[in-house]
Amino acid sequence: MKINRRDFIKNSLLMGSSLLLSPISPYAKPEKEEQWRPAYEKLEEEGKLSQRVQQAYTIFEHCQLCPRRCGVNRKKGEKGFCRAPLRPVIFNFHPHFGEEMPLVGDNGSGTIFFSNCNLRCIFCQNWPISHEGRGKEIQDEDVADMMISLQKIGCHNINLVTPTHVMPNILNATRIALKKGLHLPLVYNTSGYERLEILKILDGIVDIYMPDMKYMDSDQAAKYSAGASDYPEVTKKAIMEMNRQVGELKTDNRGIALRGLIIRHLVMPNRVAGTEKFVRWVSASLPKSTYVNIMAQYRVEYKAFNYPEISRGISVQEFLEAMDWAEKYGLTNLDPQSIANRNFYRFRQSN
Ligand code: SF4
């Protein structure tokens, strides 16, 4: 049976929002942030958003959207390292309740999962989507409709998962959605493997950057992320630029994120992720009040079974030493869930 665009959007939304019995959570508090406006709205008013869309689309002709810089012409159907076509491929979209609390709020983070990836880590938890590109190829207009649907059911933001290789499509979709009434922050949920030149195009469009910082060592990056030995240096520069654009995380009076930077760092077994180096770098290079999520949920996925040093979950001790380092280097805005985990494990160890 052929599924048309409308059915795809409807079915995806119903599947993802099955926990929401009513479109608006009964616990939602009234909006009081009349002053706040998404960055892209102001850029449109200045007449600059369409230029950015055009500028971004031109890059498809010699794709350099990410540091892999393949140079393929995606408008002519050529595919580079990420294997992404010209049109966005979407695996799913729905309100997500597993993200950081300032993104989730009462009604969830409006997440759109883009298929394919420019980094392709061997321990990827989303490997069927990122490595195999499972999903449905759609038009930018459909992405815009998804954004509007997520807004209608009360999501607090549009959370763009793995956006780097489809950035031009996202910009175009955002502009289309803006004309249909989109009024939510865009969350750029990225591996962090981003070019400065590309981030500059996003300046004034993205409100919330949420990059990973996966490794601090180029050998580890090359080994686990398809030869991306420049990942640590590239990502450090990218995060500094993101911080320059949006700064420290700001929330509304309900604690829901409106603008700013959230850095994610997944603790890996045997200190593979270089956590001490990471928190030391944040402490020295960014405000100590930068929102940092030190995550404990490493799982052995995809091809990680073939690498003995990462073929197990992390121990309690490995997570606690990561949190201790964050404290030692003076980070003051750690994710509340990671603090709760730390307190729980400390309590269990002392009883
Ligand atoms: S986005 Fe894809 S095609 Fe473009 S440079 Fe990166 S990996 Fe290559």
Side-chain angles (χ1 to χ4, degrees), residues 63-66 68-70 72 74 80-82 118 165:
C63 192
Q64 307 219 353
L65 280 170
C66 83
R68 303 269 184 195
R69 300 178 75 172
C70 303
V72 294
R74 288 173 58 184
F81 175 84
C82 64
N118 67 325
H165 57 290

Short mmCIF file of all heavy atoms in Angstrom, two decimals, residues 63-66 68-70 72 74 80-82 118 165, ligand 1:
data_model
loop_
_atom_site.label_atom_id
_atom_site.label_comp_id
_atom_site.label_asym_id
_atom_site.label_seq_id
_atom_site.Cartn_x
_atom_site.Cartn_y
_atom_site.Cartn_z
N CYS A 63 29.36 19.55 -1.87
CA CYS A 63 28.99 19.45 -0.44
C CYS A 63 30.19 19.55 0.50
O CYS A 63 31.12 18.73 0.47
CB CYS A 63 28.20 18.17 -0.17
SG CYS A 63 27.47 18.25 1.48
N GLN A 64 30.14 20.59 1.30
CA GLN A 64 31.14 20.80 2.35
C GLN A 64 30.40 21.15 3.63
O GLN A 64 30.83 22.00 4.40
CB GLN A 64 32.06 21.95 1.96
CG GLN A 64 32.69 21.79 0.60
CD GLN A 64 34.13 22.24 0.55
OE1 GLN A 64 34.65 22.80 1.50
NE2 GLN A 64 34.78 22.00 -0.55
N LEU A 65 29.28 20.51 3.81
CA LEU A 65 28.46 20.83 4.98
C LEU A 65 29.11 20.41 6.29
O LEU A 65 28.76 20.91 7.35
CB LEU A 65 27.08 20.16 4.86
CG LEU A 65 26.07 20.87 3.96
CD1 LEU A 65 24.85 20.00 3.74
CD2 LEU A 65 25.65 22.22 4.56
N CYS A 66 30.01 19.45 6.20
CA CYS A 66 30.67 18.99 7.44
C CYS A 66 32.16 18.83 7.18
O CYS A 66 32.60 18.93 6.04
CB CYS A 66 30.02 17.70 7.92
SG CYS A 66 30.68 16.23 7.10
N ARG A 68 34.00 16.46 6.71
CA ARG A 68 34.42 15.43 5.74
C ARG A 68 34.67 16.06 4.37
O ARG A 68 35.44 15.53 3.57
CB ARG A 68 33.35 14.35 5.61
CG ARG A 68 32.97 13.67 6.90
CD ARG A 68 33.78 12.44 7.19
NE ARG A 68 33.33 11.76 8.39
CZ ARG A 68 34.04 10.84 9.02
NH1 ARG A 68 35.24 10.51 8.60
NH2 ARG A 68 33.59 10.26 10.11
N ARG A 69 33.98 17.14 4.08
CA ARG A 69 34.16 17.93 2.85
C ARG A 69 34.29 17.08 1.59
O ARG A 69 35.27 17.18 0.84
CB ARG A 69 35.38 18.85 3.01
CG ARG A 69 35.21 19.79 4.18
CD ARG A 69 36.40 20.67 4.42
NE ARG A 69 36.47 21.73 3.44
CZ ARG A 69 37.33 22.74 3.50
NH1 ARG A 69 38.17 22.83 4.51
NH2 ARG A 69 37.34 23.66 2.58
N CYS A 70 33.28 16.28 1.36
CA CYS A 70 33.31 15.32 0.24
C CYS A 70 33.36 16.00 -1.12
O CYS A 70 33.91 15.45 -2.07
CB CYS A 70 32.09 14.42 0.30
SG CYS A 70 31.94 13.53 1.85
N VAL A 72 30.90 16.39 -3.16
CA VAL A 72 29.97 15.79 -4.14
C VAL A 72 28.84 16.77 -4.46
O VAL A 72 28.53 17.65 -3.66
CB VAL A 72 29.36 14.46 -3.60
CG1 VAL A 72 30.44 13.41 -3.46
CG2 VAL A 72 28.63 14.69 -2.27
N ARG A 74 25.28 17.02 -4.53
CA ARG A 74 24.07 16.33 -4.05
C ARG A 74 22.85 16.74 -4.87
O ARG A 74 21.87 16.00 -4.93
CB ARG A 74 23.89 16.56 -2.55
CG ARG A 74 24.95 15.77 -1.76
CD ARG A 74 24.96 16.05 -0.29
NE ARG A 74 23.70 15.78 0.37
CZ ARG A 74 23.49 16.03 1.66
NH1 ARG A 74 24.47 16.53 2.41
NH2 ARG A 74 22.32 15.76 2.19
N GLY A 80 27.94 11.48 -0.65
CA GLY A 80 29.24 11.50 -0.01
C GLY A 80 29.29 10.50 1.14
O GLY A 80 28.52 9.54 1.18
N PHE A 81 30.18 10.76 2.07
CA PHE A 81 30.41 9.83 3.18
C PHE A 81 29.13 9.53 3.96
O PHE A 81 28.89 8.41 4.37
CB PHE A 81 31.46 10.45 4.12
CG PHE A 81 31.69 9.64 5.36
CD1 PHE A 81 32.58 8.57 5.35
CD2 PHE A 81 31.01 9.93 6.53
CE1 PHE A 81 32.77 7.80 6.48
CE2 PHE A 81 31.19 9.17 7.68
CZ PHE A 81 32.08 8.11 7.65
N CYS A 82 28.30 10.55 4.14
CA CYS A 82 27.07 10.36 4.94
C CYS A 82 25.98 9.60 4.20
O CYS A 82 24.99 9.17 4.80
CB CYS A 82 26.53 11.71 5.41
SG CYS A 82 26.02 12.78 4.04
N ASN A 118 27.04 12.06 9.42
CA ASN A 118 28.36 12.38 8.89
C ASN A 118 29.49 11.90 9.78
O ASN A 118 30.65 12.06 9.45
CB ASN A 118 28.50 13.90 8.68
CG ASN A 118 28.49 14.65 10.00
OD1 ASN A 118 27.80 14.27 10.94
ND2 ASN A 118 29.27 15.71 10.09
N HIS A 165 24.04 17.17 8.05
CA HIS A 165 24.06 16.88 6.60
C HIS A 165 22.77 17.33 5.90
O HIS A 165 22.67 17.23 4.68
CB HIS A 165 24.29 15.38 6.39
CG HIS A 165 23.26 14.53 7.06
ND1 HIS A 165 23.19 14.39 8.43
CD2 HIS A 165 22.22 13.81 6.57
CE1 HIS A 165 22.19 13.61 8.75
NE2 HIS A 165 21.57 13.25 7.64
S1 SF4 B 1 27.37 16.33 4.71
FE1 SF4 B 1 27.75 14.31 3.82
S2 SF4 B 1 28.26 14.66 1.67
FE2 SF4 B 1 28.40 16.63 2.76
S3 SF4 B 1 30.54 16.82 3.33
FE3 SF4 B 1 29.51 15.88 5.07
S4 SF4 B 1 29.65 13.66 4.78
FE4 SF4 B 1 30.15 14.66 2.82
#
